[in-house]
Amino acid sequence: MPSHTDASDLSDPGPEAGPEAAARRRTGGRSARIRAQVLEAVGGLLVEAGYDALTVDAVAERAGVHRTTVYRRWRDIGGLLADVLDAAADDTWRPADTGSLQDDLTALNQEVFDALQPDESGAGASLTTALIAASFRSPEAARALTLFWEDRYARSAPVAGRAVDRGEIPPGLNTRALLVTATAPLYQELLLLRGAPDAELPRRAARAACAAARAGVFH
């Protein structure tokens, strides 16, 4: 069993901060390392064994920290899952600029496609798939996942703006509708229907959404 880190290594945000504020607290040094260890443990357990295997004790043991540390900072499994999603959104990701709407949407879809593939280690579902499944069991994870999607849609909006600037599609379209139409077939085929991965799906779905945009469907 790994050595444990005492709970006093993390500064307590205080009861007035609430569980969500505590989970999202930005810290550095030792506290940041502990957060990384704990969130990695959450992701590993979730991928390997699913939501039912997640307990504070299991996460603490795998992360090599004291269970009190986890309880004080994250409070419960919902807080841990929410922080995993919060950490995932704390990056510099932007959609690719390929020079055409169809290729931009294809690149976006390819990232979605790759994220939904089973874990490379063979342990189970991808972390993305496991987090989506967990969001149906945890209200905190569901709220955090909604915020994550909102952030990704906002960052993807330039795909449509660039297409308008290039004259590929007319101005005034509903950007969200375009992005949902482009990406939805991947979630439908890979998550709901559990179909065999089709390498052409990202481009085919992008091509259909692009054609609809040119026809004014999203205006």
Side-chain angles (χ1 to χ4, degrees):
M1 181 175 176
S3 61
H4 284 60
T5 302
D6 189 80
S8 61
D9 290 330
L10 286 177
S11 57
D12 189 350
E16 70 280 2
E20 291 188 9
R24 284 161 173 72
R25 201 165 171 274
R26 294 289 184 262
T27 52
R30 190 177 185 85
S31 183
R33 290 194 298 274
I34 292 173
R35 183 189 184 218
Q37 290 171 219
V38 169
L39 297 190
E40 183 178 359
V42 173
L45 286 168
L46 190 61
V47 166
E48 293 168 16
Y51 181 84
D52 290 328
L54 280 180
T55 66
V56 169
D57 286 353
V59 169
E61 180 174 350
R62 182 162 181 149
V65 301
H66 198 281
R67 63 197 299 269
T68 307
T69 298
V70 181
Y71 278 116
R72 289 183 67 188
R73 183 166 183 178
W74 290 276
R75 312 299 172 95
D76 54 23
I77 292 301
L80 286 164
L81 289 169
D83 201 25
V84 169
L85 287 159
D86 187 55
D90 189 18
D91 60 16
T92 59
W93 179 86
R94 291 292 184 273
D97 184 357
T98 67
S100 77
L101 176 61
Q102 182 171 312
D103 287 345
D104 280 359
L105 292 176
T106 298
L108 184 63
N109 278 355
Q110 188 63 54
E111 293 191 49
V112 174
F113 183 87
D114 293 342
L116 296 179
Q117 297 307 302
D119 182 73
E120 292 181 358
S121 68
S126 70
L127 180 57
T128 299
T129 300
L131 285 168
I132 292 172
S135 72
F136 288 94
R137 306 282 299 276
S138 164
E140 294 93 339
R143 286 193 293 269
L145 185 59
T146 296
L147 292 174
F148 178 85
W149 292 136
E150 291 292 341
D151 174 69
R152 283 301 192 259
Y153 278 123
R155 295 197 211 183
S156 299
V159 167
R162 293 193 298 254
V164 170
D165 292 341
R166 289 190 296 259
E168 292 183 84
I169 54 177
L173 86 165
N174 184 327
T175 300
R176 171 69 67 85
L178 168 65
L179 295 170
V180 169
T181 300
T183 58
L186 282 81
Y187 295 101
Q188 175 76 18
E189 293 287 343
L190 299 176
L191 288 187
L192 301 183
L193 298 180
R194 299 175 184 270
D198 177 0
E200 288 300 312
L201 179 59
R203 180 168 294 279
R204 188 166 63 249
R207 185 167 58 244
C210 188
R214 288 171 178 155
V217 171
F218 306 121
H219 286 70

